[in-house]
Amino acid sequence: MIEPVKEFHHALKIREDVCIGCTHCMKVCPTEAIRIKNGKAVLSNNRCVDCGECFRACPVLAIIIEQDDFDKIFSYPIRVALVPSVFIGQFPKTISTEQIYSELMGLGFTHIYEIEHSVDILADQINPYMDDHDDSKPVISSFCPAIVRLIQVKFPALVENILLLKAPLDIAAIYNKKKFSDLGYKEDEIGLFYITPCAAKIAAIKSPVGDEKSDVTGVINMNTLYNKVYSGIKQNDKETCPVPTRKFLSPQNILWTLTRGESENAKGRSIAVDGIHNVIEFLDKLENEDLPHFDFLEMRACDESCAGGVLISGNRFLTVRRLHLRAEAAARKIIRGIEPEEDILTEKSFLLANIRVAKVKPRSIVKLDDDMLEAMKKMKKVHELLRHLPLVDCGTCGSPKCASLAEDVVQGNANIAQCIFVQKLLEKRKIFTKEESHQVLENIWGKEKFENKWNVELDF
Amino acid sequence: MHFQYSIEGGDFSRAGNASSQLKKLLKQLNVDSQLIKRIVVALYEGEVNIVAHAHRGTIDVDIEPDKVFIRLSDEGPGIPDIKQAMKEGYSTASQKVREMGFGAGMGLPNMLKNADKLNIESEPGKGTIVELTTLLR
Ligand SMILES: Nc1ncnc2c1ncn2[C@@H]1O[C@H](COP(=O)(O)OP(=O)(O)O)[C@@H](O)[C@H]1O
Ligand code: SF4
Ligand SMILES: [Mg+2]
């Protein structure tokens, strides 16, 4: 099961010119994907799962989430905004959906499609899928791409449990593509733009785990669009354009991207876990079989799921509340006999024929070597090194923990003398000169951090 | 490679620590995930038995290229009738322990199922030694 070496697309990028090498990101990364080199944070492509924890932690906004240029939408006669319900949920009550839709159209979209309509295709498929996969219980949702990648790298034995059905976004994209090509548009005339709440979804679009290619044409970060729409409404300077009315979504669909949105639909025993560190703790227990039996696990990287996405501008709890209010209103409508508008059901058989995704492959970052004998040798060295390290996890070596430095050394990616405690020891034994120690630190932290900023002679 | 863990009787909140640690090591060694699962499940049951039935214990793990050998030795009441203890569903666990979700009497049978070799020696009133061997094919 050796994976071919392949670069993974990440939407998260560190701007070297802005990064101050403060280690905040390195300390919060759940997969230990960040090191400090030459005073800057450096991201490891194979370890990163695009959860965005580093983006939240960065105090100087040096971490950015790459998106497509907004004007790219104008290369397509058909310009569909694929909008998740959390986008609208962020706006305060004083702003109406009509105003939001009007702004989106004013910005240049020709159509607006709320992604959660596609839940009507997906939801009914999950329970039969679970019946067919009794041997890989609990089935783990594939909704959150950060979780899928987390399982690939950190819990490779659990890839078998991942639900191999497309996420609502992909189903919505296929549907829209089909709809417009049936109307006679060519593929290169249909622009499907996803308004993303997170980096993980971008990464999943640019390099899908199971599928070869996504049908989404481009991505626009939700915070960018939120600002455009919000300031548009405030300035109120655009001509009002004809606004499509928002189609009626069922309560289940409205709540799908929130915590328990999926697990409530699953029959049998199910549970929902949100927050990537909570997910890691839970999966660890799952691997040890230290949990009661579950049929379905909903796992989301963000606290409060997509309402807490890294590109969400509004407060996550307020967003959740608004969506719940919307769902309650929808439920009342249904009681009064009004049916949700699900045009997508006309394409049900076509969409079901395309709903499967290919198997997800493990790509462990945990193993020290493919070959067990080699791995044993390396493990011995790691443990030997750890005996000489202070176990204070200070990060001064440029690795998040003493244990990660030890591993980096054994893998040939670092030097044990990067540890400041080791340096002191080497100096004391006259193996290292003060200048040599200084050089090592400068390599990690860059020259700047050692400049005399007081402009006076320091003598302490 | 040799690793050692110590276990306190009655400390249910930490039962599973040794299995978690060993799992991490075996993952680093790129041991087949199905084998890891078998080893970890068997060790977990042994850990819980020390916590539930004995006073304290030590777990010794030897990892070799072709096998993983685990020895759980405890100071405790011992097992007077091992054959009986091996029966599915047999348990002397107290009501309190059962309420915590332990004591279904499936621990020893589960260990037998998941290990390639299981050896139990016990001296009533003194303690128990359980040895688990898993071959790494
Ligand atoms: N380490 C031990 N010390 C003393 N008694 C033990 C030990 N391990 C198992 N036993 C005895 O064997 C019985 C069966 O063990 P097991 O199959 O693990 O079931 P359970 O632990 O659920 O009772 C226990 O109830 C207990 O009486
Ligand atoms: S929970 Fe939602 S917003 Fe957060 S990473 Fe997962 S898919 Fe993206
Ligand atoms: Mg037991």
Side-chain angles (χ1 to χ4, degrees):
Chain A
M1 258 196 280
I2 301 168
E3 275 274 273
V5 186
K6 186 179 132 194
E7 281 293 300
F8 297 92
H9 180 95
H10 296 295
L12 291 160
K13 296 272 144 64
I14 299 170
R15 282 188 55 184
E16 235 187 73
D17 53 334
V18 183
C19 174
I20 54 168
C22 67
T23 76
H24 288 203
C25 57
M26 180 172 88
K27 296 221 159 108
V28 296
C29 177
T31 58
E32 294 175 6
I34 296 174
R35 299 291 181 274
I36 308 288
K37 291 194 174 114
N38 207 9
K40 308 287 170 190
V42 182
L43 196 64
S44 152
N45 270 334
N46 291 328
R47 301 183 79 98
C48 172
V49 297
D50 290 280
C51 68
E53 289 300 307
C54 54
F55 177 89
R56 295 184 210 268
C58 178
V60 295
L61 308 182
I63 299 179
I64 51 166
I65 296 179
E66 269 190 340
Q67 60 182 325
D68 287 301
D69 181 15
F70 190 83
D71 287 340
K72 187 178 163 188
I73 72 168
F74 296 106
S75 323
Y76 301 85
I78 295 292
R79 306 183 281 277
V80 186
L82 296 172
V83 186
S85 63
V86 286
F87 177 67
I88 295 160
Q90 293 176 90
F91 289 91
K93 214 168 68 187
T94 49
I95 292 173
S96 69
T97 308
E98 286 65 44
Q99 281 176 297
I100 299 168
Y101 272 32
S102 153
E103 282 302 323
L104 288 175
M105 302 297 282
L107 285 167
F109 290 106
T110 56
H111 298 80
I112 300 168
Y113 190 81
E114 248 190 310
I115 290 160
E116 285 76 15
H117 285 286
S118 65
V119 170
D120 278 301
I121 302 292
L122 174 66
D124 293 346
Q125 299 307 307
I126 296 177
N127 288 323
Y129 178 99
M130 290 206 287
D131 291 338
D132 290 348
H133 292 78
D134 212 24
D135 49 343
S136 42
K137 291 279 184 68
V139 167
I140 303 176
S141 164
S142 55
F143 174 89
C144 175
I147 298 301
V148 172
R149 287 171 179 226
L150 176 76
I151 291 173
Q152 284 183 290
V153 301
K154 229 176 144 99
F155 300 93
L158 295 175
V159 293
E160 310 283 336
N161 299 55
I162 296 173
L163 175 77
L164 297 178
L165 299 178
K166 288 201 169 91
L169 164 65
D170 302 297
I171 301 170
I174 299 174
Y175 168 65
N176 276 279
K177 195 166 157 192
K178 171 89 165 53
K179 187 169 96 185
F180 289 103
S181 43
D182 286 355
L183 289 171
Y185 290 97
K186 290 203 275 307
E187 193 170 332
D188 59 3
E189 291 176 330
I190 308 168
L192 305 176
F193 292 88
Y194 176 49
I195 315 307
T196 184
C198 62
K201 288 279 189 195
I202 303 180
I205 289 165
K206 306 282 177 183
S207 56
V209 171
D211 291 312
E212 291 84 55
K213 202 184 163 295
S214 163
D215 286 306
V216 176
T217 317
V219 282
I220 293 155
N221 290 352
M222 203 176 275
N223 58 353
T224 306
L225 202 65
Y226 179 88
N227 290 340
K228 279 187 198 285
V229 168
Y230 205 93
S231 57
I233 290 171
K234 289 285 155 218
Q235 286 156 9
N236 199 16
D237 59 354
K238 277 190 206 69
E239 283 175 43
T240 38
C241 30
V243 184
T245 48
R246 181 168 79 182
K247 290 223 182 343
F248 178 26
L249 266 181
S250 74
Q252 167 173 284
N253 294 19
I254 293 169
L255 301 177
W256 193 260
T257 63
L258 302 185
T259 304
R260 282 186 296 284
E262 287 174 282
S263 65
E264 301 266 281
N265 163 73
K267 69 173 192 204
R269 283 174 57 90
S270 66
I271 196 166
V273 183
D274 61 6
I276 194 159
H277 293 282
N278 299 332
V279 168
I280 291 173
E281 190 188 321
F282 200 87
L283 291 178
D284 208 42
K285 279 187 172 292
L286 179 68
E287 265 192 342
N288 292 359
E289 307 208 342
D290 183 8
L291 283 175
H293 172 83
F294 282 108
D295 296 295
F296 185 82
L297 303 183
E298 171 195 307
M299 316 209 105
R300 310 275 177 83
C302 300
D303 190 3
E304 295 295 330
S305 296
C306 301
V310 293
L311 295 170
I312 294 275
S313 310
N315 176 281
R316 65 185 65 168
F317 300 105
L318 293 179
T319 304
V320 169
R321 183 165 180 276
R322 287 188 200 110
L323 288 173
H324 274 281
L325 290 175
R326 183 178 162 196
E328 282 164 24
R332 283 194 294 273
K333 268 193 180 175
I334 291 174
I335 291 171
R336 274 185 266 129
I338 306 168
E339 287 288 313
E341 295 167 77
E342 298 305 359
D343 311 348
I344 194 169
L345 291 176
T346 56
E347 294 294 348
K348 188 166 180 173
S349 54
F350 174 78
L351 294 169
L352 288 184
N354 288 291
I355 202 166
R356 287 290 186 132
V357 287
K359 253 182 164 344
V360 178
K361 294 203 188 87
R363 44 185 190 86
S364 169
I365 52 166
V366 194
K367 64 182 178 201
L368 292 169
D369 205 284
D370 284 324
D371 177 60
M372 190 185 162
L373 281 182
E374 216 32 60
M376 281 181 86
K377 276 189 210 156
K378 288 183 179 173
M379 184 180 281
K380 273 187 198 144
K381 283 188 203 155
V382 169
H383 288 266
E384 179 63 31
L385 287 175
L386 273 173
R387 270 206 289 274
H388 298 287
L389 294 175
L391 303 181
V392 293
D393 295 339
C394 66
T396 312
C397 60
S399 292
K401 291 184 176 141
C402 297
S404 33
L405 175 68
E407 264 183 49
D408 289 351
V409 172
V410 168
Q411 300 291 22
N413 299 324
N415 190 313
I416 188 72
Q418 283 173 227
C419 172
I420 193 147
F421 291 78
V422 172
Q423 282 165 31
K424 293 291 155 205
L425 213 75
L426 293 175
E427 280 176 27
K428 199 169 155 198
R429 293 203 203 143
K430 308 231 179 309
I431 301 169
F432 248 43
T433 62
K434 280 211 159 42
E435 286 65 36
E436 278 170 315
S437 288
H438 185 83
Q439 193 52 54
V440 174
L441 284 177
E442 240 181 44
N443 290 347
I444 305 167
W445 295 102
K447 274 195 163 52
E448 260 177 54
K449 285 208 169 50
F450 296 95
E451 274 163 14
N452 178 352
K453 291 175 184 141
W454 290 283
N455 277 330
V456 289
E457 273 316 304
L458 295 175
D459 62 330
F460 29 69
Chain B
M1 253 183 303
H2 180 248
F3 300 91
Q4 194 175 66
Y5 309 94
S6 53
I7 311 286
E8 273 308 306
D11 191 357
F12 282 96
S13 64
R14 295 188 51 193
N17 261 14
S19 349
S20 263
Q21 300 282 335
L22 180 62
K23 183 183 70 188
K24 233 172 249 161
L25 294 171
L26 295 173
K27 274 171 133 184
Q28 286 185 313
L29 293 177
N30 201 26
V31 171
D32 174 77
S33 54
Q34 290 308 314
L35 283 174
I36 296 184
K37 208 166 169 179
R38 281 164 53 99
I39 297 168
V40 167
V41 169
L43 174 57
Y44 178 71
E45 295 289 2
E47 241 186 301
V48 170
N49 276 354
I50 297 179
V51 173
H53 308 295
H55 310 313
R56 69 190 62 79
T58 308
I59 299 175
D60 286 282
V61 181
D62 281 294
I63 306 176
E64 282 165 45
D66 58 340
K67 65 169 183 283
V68 174
F69 175 78
I70 302 173
R71 182 187 163 97
L72 303 110
S73 47
D74 69 53
E75 293 166 35
I79 308 174
D81 184 346
I82 294 177
K83 223 172 160 181
Q84 187 183 34
M86 288 301 298
K87 286 209 180 97
E88 290 194 6
Y90 176 82
S91 174
T92 61
S94 66
Q95 190 57 31
K96 203 176 117 216
V97 167
R98 277 169 213 247
E99 272 166 15
M100 292 168 82
F102 301 98
M106 294 304 290
L108 290 173
N110 231 346
M111 285 160 92
L112 183 68
K113 208 169 71 197
N114 283 291
D116 288 311
K117 213 171 119 195
L118 172 70
N119 185 36
I120 306 179
E121 276 169 41
S122 187
E123 200 176 319
K126 281 223 158 124
T128 305
I129 296 173
V130 178
E131 292 175 339
L132 296 161
T133 310
T134 309
L135 303 176
L136 304 176
R137 290 160 294 248

